[in-house]
Amino acid sequence: MIYGERIRLRAVEKPDLPHFVEWLNDPEVYDGLLIHNPLSLTEEEGWYERMLMRPAQQHVMAIDVKQGLADQGETVWRMIGSLAFDDIDWRNRAAELGIMIGDKSFWNQGYGTEAVRLLVDHGFNTLKLHRIFLHVFETNPRAIRAYKKAGFIEEGRERQAEFRGGRYIDVLRMSILRSDS
Amino acid sequence: MIFGERIRFRGVEQADLETFVRWLNDPDVRRGIGLYLPFSSTDEQEWFEKMRQLPPNERVMAIESVEQDPHGQETWHLIGTCGFFNFDSRNASAEFGIMIGEKAYWDRGYGTEAVRLLVKHGFNTLNLNRIHLRVFETNPRATRAYEKAGFTHEGCQRQAEFREGKYIDVLVMSILRSEFLEPGP
């Protein structure tokens, strides 16, 4: 597992899937994601099987928040979202980052920023990447702010690249280089 | 076939592959495209078989230029290829790639004319809203052709490609349907 201050990143387990399905069917959550159709648990289970076929470095990880200690002194964790590197290009040492904070009660408290920082650190210092980039809809200022705080720079604006809510919106592309961090 | 002023697009034939292999192994050509390894006739044959299985709108087309011989007869010469890929039907967008492999046709406006013709096909026949492309910062000839054909710079993928010992930027350019139909001043 990969530990941060308030969070940790761990492998996704099957019992996580119903939580993902709940989040991915929440309009406020999927407005920021590439999903636009209702998603069933069966589809999500299919996604999980395919995800496990990907190289280990590209497996999706669950974001857990530290909740305090249980009676027996064990740390209690609560899953609030997931994140991953997609399409690692080893020759160019570049990867795309994707993240979702699905539990809305944890929005606007810096958890997204902390999770992005932790994955970026993993990308540069463990996977030896050179460049990490991401796409974000212009309609998602919360995410854009988090990426900027984590050190990402806006490097492009893909004009009218996404059709949502009856109109075309721009998709921003942001990146961080090993030399930036 | 799709006809422009000096050029036309036609389907790729088996007999073209030999020429493609020659172009794809030319370092001057390869510097501007996604390939970086020697490319065999067998590789090219496999590419051709796979390409033919793609939906028709995504198949690569051959670019030919017309010449008049001394008797006034028109002959067509294969000078390159182009095509759309990464079609996104819901968002009505696509990416395209182009190669003018015959170097005698460089710096004579053929690339610009081919891009214009492909863009017209994309907006007027395929009903796209957005056409985009990626080009290496080390390829000013191509960048200029895209600018002349009406593309706008919309991004710079910093150090996204490793070539000849160093990381280079990859520029992103696009043209929207509204810009094609009502060109600016």
Side-chain angles (χ1 to χ4, degrees):
Chain A
M1 272 177 269
I2 301 170
Y3 288 90
E5 287 195 18
R6 300 180 295 166
I7 64 169
R8 69 175 183 186
L9 308 180
R10 64 160 171 83
V12 171
E13 301 285 357
K14 265 208 170 134
D16 297 329
L17 300 185
H19 294 283
F20 290 171
V21 171
E22 185 197 328
W23 295 338
L24 293 171
N25 281 297
D26 180 337
E28 286 188 272
V29 174
Y30 72 69
D31 266 355
L33 304 174
L34 286 173
I35 289 170
H36 47 82
N37 284 329
L39 183 83
S40 69
L41 183 59
T42 310
E43 287 169 299
E44 188 65 4
E45 284 167 351
W47 166 83
Y48 183 65
E49 297 302 326
R50 287 192 304 277
M51 185 275 287
L52 291 177
M53 313 288 278
R54 286 156 48 167
Q57 296 89 349
Q58 295 180 36
H59 282 188
V60 172
M61 294 185 278
I63 305 168
D64 282 345
V65 168
K66 201 183 285 182
Q67 292 284 280
L69 298 178
D71 294 343
Q72 292 81 16
E74 258 184 50
T75 309
V76 177
W77 298 90
R78 173 164 161 190
M79 180 172 72
I80 64 159
S82 66
L83 83 189
F85 285 124
D86 278 327
D87 294 330
I88 300 182
D89 176 344
W90 289 109
R91 191 180 64 83
N92 293 315
R93 306 209 78 87
E96 182 164 3
L97 178 154
I99 179 171
M100 146 177 91
I101 303 296
D103 188 330
K104 290 189 285 189
S105 63
F106 285 81
W107 282 8
N108 299 320
Q109 295 166 54
Y111 288 106
T113 307
E114 189 176 340
V116 169
R117 282 201 178 115
L118 197 54
L119 190 67
V120 164
D121 179 74
H122 174 66
F124 289 138
N125 293 325
T126 302
L127 302 184
K128 203 171 185 290
L129 295 176
H130 177 78
R131 164 184 163 82
I132 297 168
F133 66 97
L134 59 87
H135 286 97
V136 57
F137 297 150
E138 61 169 336
T139 48
N140 194 354
R142 181 186 297 108
I144 295 168
R145 210 161 44 237
Y147 299 138
K148 281 186 178 156
K149 275 198 275 179
F152 280 76
I153 290 168
E154 186 181 321
E155 65 174 23
R157 174 178 282 263
E158 296 174 1
R159 302 174 304 148
Q160 300 187 18
E162 179 74 19
F163 192 73
R164 287 289 171 115
R167 66 192 179 93
Y168 286 104
I169 59 171
D170 294 346
V171 179
L172 308 187
R173 189 189 266 264
M174 305 179 75
S175 71
I176 184 168
L177 302 179
R178 190 189 183 78
S179 52
D180 293 337
S181 68
Chain B
M1 274 181 268
I2 301 170
F3 289 89
E5 286 198 16
R6 299 182 295 167
I7 60 166
R8 69 178 182 189
F9 297 156
R10 62 158 171 80
V12 169
E13 304 286 357
Q14 177 72 39
D16 298 329
L17 302 187
E18 200 183 326
T19 308
F20 294 169
V21 171
R22 175 166 59 83
W23 294 341
L24 295 172
N25 281 297
D26 179 337
D28 290 335
V29 174
R30 210 166 49 195
R31 196 165 286 129
I33 59 182
L35 297 180
Y36 49 86
L37 292 175
F39 206 73
S40 72
S41 308
T42 313
D43 294 330
E44 187 63 12
Q45 188 66 45
E46 278 176 19
W47 167 82
F48 185 55
E49 304 300 337
K50 271 186 286 191
M51 190 271 288
R52 287 195 303 174
Q53 307 299 316
L54 293 172
N57 295 346
E58 299 178 41
R59 290 184 199 154
V60 171
M61 298 182 285
I63 307 170
E64 287 187 322
S65 125
V66 66
E67 318 257 318
Q68 298 248 344
D69 73 5
H71 310 290
Q73 283 280 42
E74 285 190 346
T75 54
W76 293 91
H77 299 276
L78 179 64
I79 66 166
T81 60
C82 65
F84 288 111
F85 58 101
N86 285 345
F87 261 89
D88 182 335
S89 53
R90 192 179 62 82
N91 293 316
S93 72
E95 188 166 353
F96 82 87
I98 180 171
M99 155 176 81
I100 303 295
E102 212 55 72
K103 288 192 281 188
Y105 289 82
W106 285 10
D107 298 316
R108 291 163 61 186
Y110 283 99
T112 307
E113 189 177 339
V115 170
R116 285 202 177 115
L117 192 59
L118 189 67
V119 163
K120 186 176 159 194
H121 175 62
F123 289 132
N124 286 348
T125 304
L126 303 183
N127 204 5
L128 294 173
N129 178 64
R130 166 186 161 84
I131 297 170
H132 55 110
L133 63 88
R134 300 171 80 227
V135 57
F136 298 150
E137 61 165 333
T138 48
N139 194 354
R141 181 185 294 107
T143 308
R144 209 162 45 238
Y146 301 138
E147 286 165 356
K148 277 198 276 177
F151 280 75
T152 300
H153 286 271
E154 66 173 24
C156 168
Q157 300 177 355
R158 300 178 303 149
Q159 302 188 21
E161 179 75 18
F162 193 73
R163 287 290 173 112
E164 295 170 6
K166 65 186 177 78
Y167 286 101
I168 59 172
D169 295 345
V170 179
L171 311 181
V172 181
M173 303 177 75
S174 71
I175 184 168
L176 303 177
R177 187 187 186 84
S178 55
E179 294 163 345
F180 171 74
L181 296 175
E182 300 156 39

